[in-house]
């Protein structure tokens, strides 16, 4: 049923569909939502944040055109679900979360599931440490009013960045940026709704 819904909505990449089938979303939702884990909707998690809708996770993943050799950066770990999906299709995933509680819980879940190529970092996605290096792919899973130039600079040549861009409390457009020899190529994809990306780490737990 889960795969069928994703197919119907236009996800066609076999590796993405297979991965969506393999990662148990129920392990990433709150206890009370276990029964709804495979419905195609976003759900609330701790710290007032959300786990994205499965279709959006699959769609963003497909648009990233991942390869086993890729180093991927995710901004907005949340539950860790998107990171788990990425980990199966990429070489290494660094995911950054501004709530310590969410980062700690996601790290624990990902370890339990054997996603050993994911590093969960408590920090600010607007201020990625220089030591983290460059990335083949960057996925932002929180709404940004604009994508900082600094972040686009972290892309390797040929790299792809996907982010929901638009007003923080409304509808955003998912935008795919590709770094080409001539500069940055930009393509508007679909409308989405994400919780806002907020600069700085959260002071509350
Ligand atoms: N990808 C997640 C869902 C993300 S919800 C999943 O699969 O469950 C968006 C997340 O982005 C929230 O957890 C929020 O705390 C985080 N976030 C917002 N601003 C951030 C920032 N500046 N740096 C890191 N994380 C941020």
């Amino acid at each position: 049923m889960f795969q069928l819904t994703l197919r119907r909505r236009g996800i066609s990449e076999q590796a993405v569909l297979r991965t969506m089938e393999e990662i148990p979303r129920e392990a990433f939702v709150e206890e009370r939502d276990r029964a709804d884990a495979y419905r195609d909707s976003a759900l609330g998690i701790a710290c007032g944040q959300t786990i994205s809708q499965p279709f959006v996770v699959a769609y963003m993943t497909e648009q990233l055109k991942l390869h086993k050799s890729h180093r991927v950066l995710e901004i907005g770990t949340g539950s860790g679900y998107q990171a788990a999906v990425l980990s199966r299709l990429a070489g290494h995933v660094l995911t950054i979360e501004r709530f310590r509680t969410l980062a700690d819980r996601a790290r624990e879940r990902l370890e339990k599931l054997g996603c050993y190529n994911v590093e969960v970092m408590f920090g600010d996605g607007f201020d990625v440490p220089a030591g983290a290096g460059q990335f083949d792919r960057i996925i932002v899973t929180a709404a940004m009013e604009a994508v900082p130039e600094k972040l686009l600079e972290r892309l390797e040549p040929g790299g792809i960045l996907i982010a929901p861009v638009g007003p923080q409390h409304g509808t955003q457009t998912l935008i795919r940026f590709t770094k080409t020899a001539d500069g940055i190529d930009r393509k508007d994809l679909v409308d989405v709704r994400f919780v806002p990306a907020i600069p700085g780490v959260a002071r509350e737990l």
Side-chain angles (χ1 to χ4, degrees), residues 5 7 31 45 55 90 92 173:
T5 308
R7 270 178 202 282
E31 192 83 49
I45 57 171
F55 167 71
H92 185 266
T173 304

Side-chain angles (χ1 to χ4, degrees), residues 1 5 14 16 21 81 85 116 125 128-129 138 140 152 166 183:
M1 236 354 251
T5 308
Q14 275 311 319
V16 174
E21 193 74 14
Y81 179 61
V85 171
Y116 303 123
V128 182
I138 299 176
V140 181
L152 283 164

Side-chain angles (χ1 to χ4, degrees), residues 45 49-52 57 74-83 96-99 102 123-126 141-142 194-200:
I45 57 171
Q49 306 303 309
T50 54
I51 173 172
S52 308
V57 172
E74 180 192 26
I75 295 177
T77 311
S79 67
Y81 179 61
Q82 173 77 72
I96 305 184
E97 171 57 53
R98 68 184 290 276
F99 280 98
L102 292 178
D124 177 9
F126 284 105
T141 61
F194 275 87
V195 295
I198 299 167

